[in-house]
Amino acid sequence: MASTVTSSKSSRPGYGQLLRTRGAWTFLLPGFAARQPFAMLTISIVLLVQHTTGSYGAAGAAAAVTGVSMALFAPWTGRLADRLGQRAVLLPGVLVHALAGITLTALALADAPLWAVFAAAVPTGASVPQIGPMVRARWGVKLQGSPLMTTAAAFESVTDELTFVVGPLLATALCTAVDPAAGLVTEAALTLVGGLLFAAQKSTQPVVGADGHARVEHAFALRVPGVRVLAVAFLGIGSVFGGMQVSLAAFTESIGEPGLNGALYGTFAAGNMLSGIACGAVAWKAAPQRRLVVGYGALALAAAGLWAAHSVLLLAGLGLLVGMCVAPALITGYTLVENLVPAGARTEAFTWLTGAVALGQAGAVTVAGQLEDRFWGGAGFLVPLGGTALALVTLVALRSRLDDRPRSRTVARGVGHRAPVTVD
């Protein structure tokens, strides 16, 4: 560990240096495979339920139940992973998720009452494996005290967005060209296989309560004020994801080109990915708190024009711009967690942010679906505008909570690394 940190400090952080970190590829490759289904889940549910009910409102509500369930259970999954180990949480989790996803699919195809579909959506969302936060926690173990942590946060954001380029395209193609249920069935199968492969990588998971390692206090991550502020900011980002998914699906359906949905959403995700690559390659001098406020302001401004777009090309361009503004906010938020939260609660903190995105997405797909059903085409694009604007106001008002300087007591982060971290 010490040699890795020393090497990291001796030269300018970069992706090449990051990927040469010993043991990184052993969790990166299975981690990528395991997180791929996450990008397919919401759009697969929307397309399946819309097909069986004919309503975007019902489809959005079903997806929202899944998102809310995930948002509520994800932090507890992260907390259990911090205490019991990632493998102990993943193995039963992926089995439950695959079974729940198949059950939801069967109920939808059987024209079951909507309440039954909602009931199946609860365990489907609750059991979503938190691969992204677990990978980030493994980076935290590998790179303690290293300037490569910002690069790792950018790399993970890029990886997430690559899945959101591939996932919606794959899910849309399966649902429109094969069968409306094919997207959700494939998502369940990939979750099971990918999750088991990731869980098998025991050597890189954070050590839990082993002799010879520093004992780290298991504090609740949400008690850290900065995490609560970041959660609100990530709720706004979730409103962008959810609002875009439903509104783009409705727009492409209205012009008779439903197959363009995946391409348009993929363009949005591609902007996020390209921006994330750039963020990770820059040696930032500005404080992350300031970068977050400025980047979030740009996101709210870009989202303000979506509702007025009435052509495929204009919507693709605006979607690309919005995507480019999402990545800096995500990357900076995840980077701040490294400074704000003690190591023993870091997976939980990451899952609070992931859960906040899911909760924002859940609310957005519900509201956007209702707006698309009841008002003009494109009304759902008002959701990203409103969500980011409200989150920006909160972020500006409470930005002092993101100060990572210690204000009370400190917790050891590991043997030989006594950097102070704030815990209320």
Side-chain angles (χ1 to χ4, degrees), residues 112-215:
L114 202 56
W115 65 262
V117 176
F118 289 170
V122 172
T124 301
S127 58
V128 170
Q130 299 301 309
I131 301 297
M134 290 181 181
V135 171
R136 287 180 169 91
R138 294 187 187 214
W139 277 125
V141 171
K142 288 285 185 181
L143 303 173
Q144 283 188 21
S146 168
L148 281 171
M149 275 307 303
T150 298
T151 307
F155 181 83
E156 287 307 307
S157 179
V158 170
T159 304
D160 283 339
E161 290 316 309
L162 181 58
T163 67
F164 276 97
V165 172
V166 177
L169 285 172
L170 177 59
T172 301
L174 289 169
C175 291
T176 57
V178 179
D179 187 89
L184 201 52
V185 171
T186 303
E187 187 274 339
L190 288 176
T191 297
L192 181 61
V193 175
L196 292 177
L197 287 174
F198 183 78
Q201 309 305 313
K202 296 185 290 184
S203 63
T204 55
Q205 73 172 346
V207 178
V208 179
D211 292 336
H213 290 264
R215 300 288 179 175

Side-chain angles (χ1 to χ4, degrees), residues 7 21 26 34 39 88 95 137 153 167 183 201 219 276 378 399-400 418 424:
S7 174
T21 301
T26 63
L95 293 173
Q201 309 305 313
R399 62 188 182 278
S400 62
R418 295 280 177 178
D424 282 4

Side-chain angles (χ1 to χ4, degrees), residues 225-255:
V227 173
R228 297 196 291 269
V229 176
L230 290 173
V232 173
F234 277 51
L235 278 170
I237 293 174
S239 75
V240 176
F241 289 129
M244 292 286 282
Q245 284 181 336
V246 171
S247 302
L248 288 175
F251 173 79
T252 53
E253 183 74 25
S254 70
I255 63 173

Side-chain angles (χ1 to χ4, degrees), residues 24-35 194 197-198 201:
W25 286 104
T26 63
F27 63 85
L28 286 180
L29 290 178
F32 178 77
R35 75 175 72 184
L197 287 174
F198 183 78
Q201 309 305 313

